[in-house]
Amino acid sequence: MEFVVKGRNTEISDRFRNHVEEKLEKVEQFAPRAQRVDVELTHEPNPAQVERSERIEITVRDKGPVIRAEASSADQYSALDLAIQKLFEQLRRAHERKKDHRRRRGVEPTPEELNVDTLLESLHLDGADQAAAGSGSAGLGVPTKPGEEIETQLGDSPVVVRQKLYEAKPMTVDQALYEMELVGHAFYLFIDEETKQPCAVYRRHGWTYGVIRLNAVAGEFGPAGSDA
C-alpha cells in the first residue's frame, strides 16, 4: 500500500512523514484492499486560529467507497492523532455494516472479519473529536477537474470559501447514507438512481436521517459532482 504525504502552506519533515506511516500501518489490516492512503497537512497562518492551525486530512482509497477523516489542532502530531481516531471509527462503521449485510443473508463471518474485530477491540487512541477547519489560502475561479480544490477569500473579510469538485454516480438513498458514514460528514450529495434528481442526505437527531431533493434532473445541467 502506498502512502502519499503532502503539505499546503507548510513543509513536511522526514521525521513527521515517518511518524505518519508508522501510525497508519494498521490501515492495511482493517482495509486489505486499500491501494493508497493520502495524508494532507494544511497550516493556517491566521494568529486568531492558532489552536486549530494544523489540519490533517486522511483519505483511504479502496476498491470500494473512499474513506476520509480530518481533524485540526495546535500542532501536527495532535491533529494526526485526532484524524486517525476518526479514521478508524469510519473503518469500524464500514466493517459493522458489512457484517450486518452478511448476517441478513445468513452468511457466517469470515476469518478476515473476525481478525478485524480483534484489531478494533485492541485499538486505543487518545484525543477528543474536534471540528475540521478550512485553510486560509486564497484562490480564484471554479474547480473544473475532479479532486481539484479552490479557496477564495471574500473581499477583505476573513471568510474563506473552499470549493471542491467530486465525481458523481447515480445511487440509492441507502448507498448515499453508507457513503456519508464512511467519510464521517453530516451530509452527502448524490444523484438519485431512480429519479436522477440532485439530492442530499443528512443526519438528524438520534438515528434518523433526512433527504433533500431538488426539483430538477441532473442531466439538465451537464456533468454533476458529488460532495461529502
Side-chain angles (χ1 to χ4, degrees):
M1 182 169 55
E2 179 184 9
F3 291 96
V4 179
V5 185
K6 60 183 179 180
R8 298 178 64 191
N9 302 330
T10 187
E11 295 291 330
I12 303 295
S13 67
D14 290 339
R15 178 170 175 242
F16 184 72
R17 192 182 302 274
N18 292 335
H19 182 72
V20 168
E21 294 185 5
E22 289 176 6
K23 283 281 192 175
L24 293 174
E25 281 181 350
K26 283 192 174 71
V27 168
E28 190 168 12
Q29 299 176 58
F30 296 142
R33 297 189 302 166
Q35 299 172 333
R36 194 176 82 179
V37 179
D38 291 325
V39 180
E40 182 174 271
L41 171 65
T42 302
H43 174 69
E44 169 56 64
N46 187 345
Q49 298 188 26
V50 64
E51 293 184 359
R52 302 171 63 180
S53 60
E54 306 297 334
R55 178 168 65 87
I56 293 279
E57 181 177 295
I58 306 174
T59 305
V60 178
R61 304 194 180 279
D62 205 336
K63 290 183 179 179
V66 168
I67 300 175
R68 183 183 300 111
E70 58 183 65
S72 58
S73 187
D75 66 87
Q76 299 175 353
Y77 293 90
S78 295
L80 177 64
D81 285 345
L82 290 170
I84 290 175
Q85 180 184 13
K86 292 181 179 182
L87 176 68
F88 281 99
E89 176 61 20
Q90 308 309 334
L91 290 170
R92 183 192 66 77
R93 291 178 184 176
H95 173 62
E96 290 298 325
R97 186 181 177 92
K98 287 178 184 177
K99 283 206 307 182
D100 287 342
H101 278 247
R102 290 175 66 86
R103 265 193 223 106
R104 289 171 193 165
R105 297 197 306 266
V107 180
E108 291 296 323
T110 64
E112 181 183 273
E113 288 176 329
L114 294 173
N115 184 46
V116 171
D117 281 336
T118 303
L119 287 168
L120 288 169
E121 288 172 3
S122 65
L123 181 65
H124 297 286
L125 292 171
D126 296 328
D129 287 349
Q130 294 188 16
S135 69
S137 41
L140 296 172
V142 175
T144 57
K145 299 177 182 178
E148 180 183 2
E149 294 183 22
I150 292 180
E151 294 184 348
T152 306
Q153 185 170 349
L154 297 183
D156 296 328
S157 74
V159 177
V160 174
V161 177
R162 185 173 79 163
Q163 302 181 62
K164 187 170 183 178
L165 182 64
Y166 290 84
E167 289 282 9
K169 62 179 181 179
M171 63 179 67
T172 64
V173 171
D174 184 60
Q175 289 171 322
L177 291 171
Y178 180 38
E179 297 272 0
M180 180 182 72
E181 292 296 342
L182 286 180
V183 296
H185 287 194
F187 71 96
Y188 191 86
L189 304 181
F190 68 104
I191 305 299
D192 187 278
E193 188 175 68
E194 181 178 352
T195 66
K196 308 304 179 189
Q197 292 174 317
C199 301
V201 291
Y202 62 95
R203 289 199 191 106
R204 300 182 70 224
H205 300 293
W207 290 97
T208 61
Y209 299 90
V211 180
I212 297 174
R213 298 176 179 273
L214 297 185
N215 186 23
V217 176
E220 295 176 357
F221 306 100
S226 70
D227 191 5

